[in-house]
Amino acid sequence: MKIGLWSDCHNFPSLPLMKLSAYHKSLGDSVEHYVPLECYDLVYASKVFSFTKDIDDEYAVRADELRNGGTGYCITVENGREIFDEKKNIPLPKEIEHIYPDYGLYPQYDYAVGFLTRGCPRGCGFCVVGRKEGLCSEQVAELSEFRRGQRLIKLLDPNILACKNHERLLKELADSGAKIDFTQGLDIRLTNPDNIKLLNAVRVHSLHFAWDNAKEDLTGYFKGFAEHTSVNNERNRTVYVLVNYNSTIDEDLHRIYTLRDLGFNPYVMVYQKETAPREIKRLQRWCNCRWVFRNCADFKDYKG
C-alpha cells in the first residue's frame, strides 16, 4: 500500500504519524508525507488544534481512504465554548501505540519524544486532557518504548507528578543521562522537597509549569520551588500563564509580575486566541518577546 501522512503540526514532530509510519513500514508499505495531487491507498490526517484548517480545506485528497484523528478533530467551538466529542476520540490501536516511533520521518529533529504517563486529575474546564485521557495520571509506557540513546528527551506528559509512580520515573529519567524537556506544565502544587530533589538529579533542559487559574494564589508554591531547585536560570523555568479565561488584565499582570520577581519566565497562553480582544494579544506580544519584556518592565509603557 501507498500511505500518505498529514498533520497541522509544523514545528514539532507528530508522534502519532511517526508511530503509524513505523507500523506500516513493518508491513512493507510505502510511507511518505502527504503530497498534494499524489494518489494514495490510505491517508492519515492528524490534527492537534481545532482552529487550524483540515486537510480537506487545503487539498482535494486523492486517496481510497482518509482517516482522521487527534485532539483537533475531537473539539468544536460553539458560542465561544469548546465542545469535546467523545465519539471522535479514537486512540491508536495498542500494537501501534506501543511501537517505536519512526524518527526518520522527521530527520530535522534529533531528540526522542513521547509519553510516560497520560491523564490528569485536575479536570480544568479549558483543558481537554481529563476528558480525553482520564482524570487519573497513570503510567502508559516505559522510556525504552520511544528513546534509544537520544541525548534530548521531550516529554509530553500532562501531569507526571500526579502519577503514583512519578518518583521512580524521575529516577529513570535521571539515570538515562539525557537532557529532559518537560514540555507540558508540571503541577507546581504537587512539588515537595522530595520530588524537587529528584528533579535536581535530572539533567533538565527545560522545566514548564502553569499558573492557569488567576483566582488561585500559587505564589507560595513557586517561592518554595525556587528555594529548593538547582535549576536557577529563568530561561529553563518557564511558567505558562493562561489569559482570556476567567481573568482580568490586572489579574494577568499580577501573575506575570509575581513570576518574574521570583525568577521564573512567564509565557502567556491565550485561550481562544482567534477571538481574543486586542489588549490580550498585546499582552501576549509584550510578555513573550523576551527582549521587549526585559527592556519594558511595565506593561503600561508598552507601545506595541
Side-chain angles (χ1 to χ4, degrees), residues 217-250:
D217 187 4
L218 302 183
T219 305
Y221 291 102
F222 284 108
K223 185 179 294 185
F225 184 84
E227 291 173 352
H228 291 91
T229 184
S230 62
V231 182
N232 295 317
N233 190 333
E234 70 173 31
R235 294 183 180 182
N236 301 110
R237 304 192 319 194
T238 296
V239 182
Y240 300 127
V241 179
L242 183 69
V243 302
N244 201 41
Y245 186 88
N246 295 341
S247 66
T248 66
I249 286 286
D250 287 342

Side-chain angles (χ1 to χ4, degrees), residues 141-208:
E142 298 292 340
L143 187 58
S144 59
E145 283 193 22
F146 57 87
R147 189 253 178 174
R148 294 178 183 170
Q150 292 93 332
R151 295 181 179 180
L152 174 62
I153 301 170
K154 288 186 176 285
L155 282 185
L156 305 179
D157 301 44
N159 197 337
I160 190 172
L161 296 184
C163 178
K164 63 181 181 181
N165 297 333
H166 80 270
E167 291 189 353
R168 178 176 63 81
L169 295 175
L170 291 178
K171 289 178 182 177
E172 289 180 3
L173 291 171
D175 291 342
S176 74
K179 286 190 174 182
I180 311 299
D181 184 353
F182 295 89
T183 66
Q184 306 305 300
L186 291 170
D187 195 333
I188 192 69
R189 294 159 292 189
L190 298 178
T191 56
N192 56 56
D194 290 334
N195 57 29
I196 294 176
K197 184 177 180 180
L198 291 172
L199 283 169
N200 288 340
V202 174
R203 292 185 64 206
V204 171
H205 176 273
S206 187
L207 290 172
H208 291 81

Side-chain angles (χ1 to χ4, degrees), residues 20-77:
L20 287 164
S21 177
Y23 174 74
H24 278 282
K25 285 182 178 180
S26 74
L27 300 179
D29 295 332
S30 171
V31 182
E32 66 182 24
H33 288 287
Y34 173 78
V35 179
L37 302 182
E38 283 286 320
C39 294
Y40 296 92
D41 297 296
L42 173 60
V43 169
Y44 290 98
S46 175
K47 281 189 66 176
V48 177
F49 309 105
S50 60
F51 54 83
T52 54
K53 289 185 177 180
D54 193 2
I55 186 173
D56 288 334
D57 297 328
E58 295 191 291
Y59 312 108
V61 180
R62 302 171 67 181
D64 294 339
E65 185 179 0
L66 172 63
R67 296 181 187 175
N68 299 329
T71 304
Y73 286 111
C74 299
I75 298 175
T76 57
V77 179

